[in-house]
Amino acid sequence: MSKPVNPDLPHLDLDLLPAPDLARLTCTANDHPPRILILYGSLRPQSFSRKLALEAERILRHLGAETRVFDPHQLPLLDSVPATHPEVQRLREWSNWSEGQVWVSPERHGTITGVFKNQIDWLPLEDGSVRPTQGRTLAVMQVCGGSQSFNVVNALRVLGRWMRMVTIPNQSSVAKAWQEFDEHGRMKPSAFYDRVVDVMEELAKFTLMVRGRSDYLVSRYSERKGDAAQRALSQAAGAVEKA
């Protein structure tokens, strides 16, 4: 039986590109709080990225989220140990557990720190049949030692896209971070603090909107086409073996 053809799109397999299914995009019941993983990018005792990560966690918990903050101190350098290392496994398990993530990095030489990049590098695009980051929401933030910069949040957006995440529109860049936190590590009231609240509120909303339907949202025509071709090859091989 011949497949349907659109004369304006002769190279398209119409069976593999149906119109968006509104029923699969409607709100469904969620029986647990949004699960948010928070990563930060410094090992310093007075790490401002860690302080900002913990401030974000407090806001997210107020908004009803369940949170986990990964401590990168014991995470080995990429490829220096097998992926079976306990901290590597913890990072991957927490990423799989999450429905959204917050990435916070200082700016070092105009970009993200090695500490932060090492965490992302340990998260593969695929791990068997599981993709540790695909379809999860993402909020990006940075702390600056001097005047405000957007180098890090821009770099984090590139990483988020590469990791196939749904990066929210809002972001936060905290200038002169050393003067934005008090002696207890809490962020002082300011326009910077208000922006962090904005970002966490937006992340919570986007996570509720995306979760439960992320697999459908990130399903790709090219991948469905490749899977169909693989199934056809497998079926043909099976037919030959039976014959």
Side-chain angles (χ1 to χ4, degrees), residues 185-204:
R186 297 302 306 272
M187 197 170 184
K188 300 175 184 177
S190 68
F192 290 127
Y193 176 78
D194 291 345
R195 174 57 67 89
V196 173
V197 176
D198 289 347
V199 175
M200 293 306 103
E201 180 185 19
E202 190 171 289
L203 176 66

Side-chain angles (χ1 to χ4, degrees), residues 127-158:
D127 186 9
S129 61
V130 177
R131 287 176 173 167
T133 53
Q134 176 169 289
R136 287 157 177 79
T137 53
L138 171 64
V140 297
M141 301 195 293
Q142 76 174 84
V143 290
C144 310
S147 59
Q148 191 174 47
S149 162
F150 299 97
N151 292 326
V152 165
V153 287
N154 289 338
L156 292 176
R157 286 186 178 278
V158 171

Side-chain angles (χ1 to χ4, degrees), residues 41-165:
S42 173
L43 303 181
R44 296 172 59 235
Q46 293 300 319
S47 167
F48 291 110
S49 65
R50 181 176 183 274
K51 291 177 181 180
L52 185 57
L54 295 178
E55 202 67 52
E57 180 181 41
R58 295 182 186 99
I59 299 166
L60 286 167
R61 287 184 172 179
H62 169 74
L63 293 170
E66 181 181 355
T67 59
R68 295 179 182 178
V69 179
F70 183 78
D71 182 347
H73 279 78
Q74 302 304 317
L75 183 69
L77 287 175
L78 179 70
D79 295 335
S80 66
V81 297
T84 53
H85 187 281
E87 288 304 299
V88 175
Q89 288 298 302
R90 185 197 309 275
L91 176 60
R92 293 184 177 185
E93 289 169 7
W94 285 12
S95 183
N96 290 335
W97 163 87
S98 71
E99 297 166 322
Q101 297 188 13
V102 180
W103 293 356
V104 190
S105 176
E107 182 170 344
R108 186 73 50 81
H109 299 311
T111 188
I112 61 176
T113 62
V115 169
F116 189 87
K117 184 60 160 55
N118 188 51
Q119 295 172 78
I120 302 305
D121 287 344
W122 273 118
L123 295 175
L125 287 177
E126 294 189 30
D127 186 9
S129 61
V130 177
R131 287 176 173 167
T133 53
Q134 176 169 289
R136 287 157 177 79
T137 53
L138 171 64
V140 297
M141 301 195 293
Q142 76 174 84
V143 290
C144 310
S147 59
Q148 191 174 47
S149 162
F150 299 97
N151 292 326
V152 165
V153 287
N154 289 338
L156 292 176
R157 286 186 178 278
V158 171
L159 275 177
R161 184 170 69 246
W162 191 258
M163 302 303 285
R164 299 175 175 178
M165 302 180 79

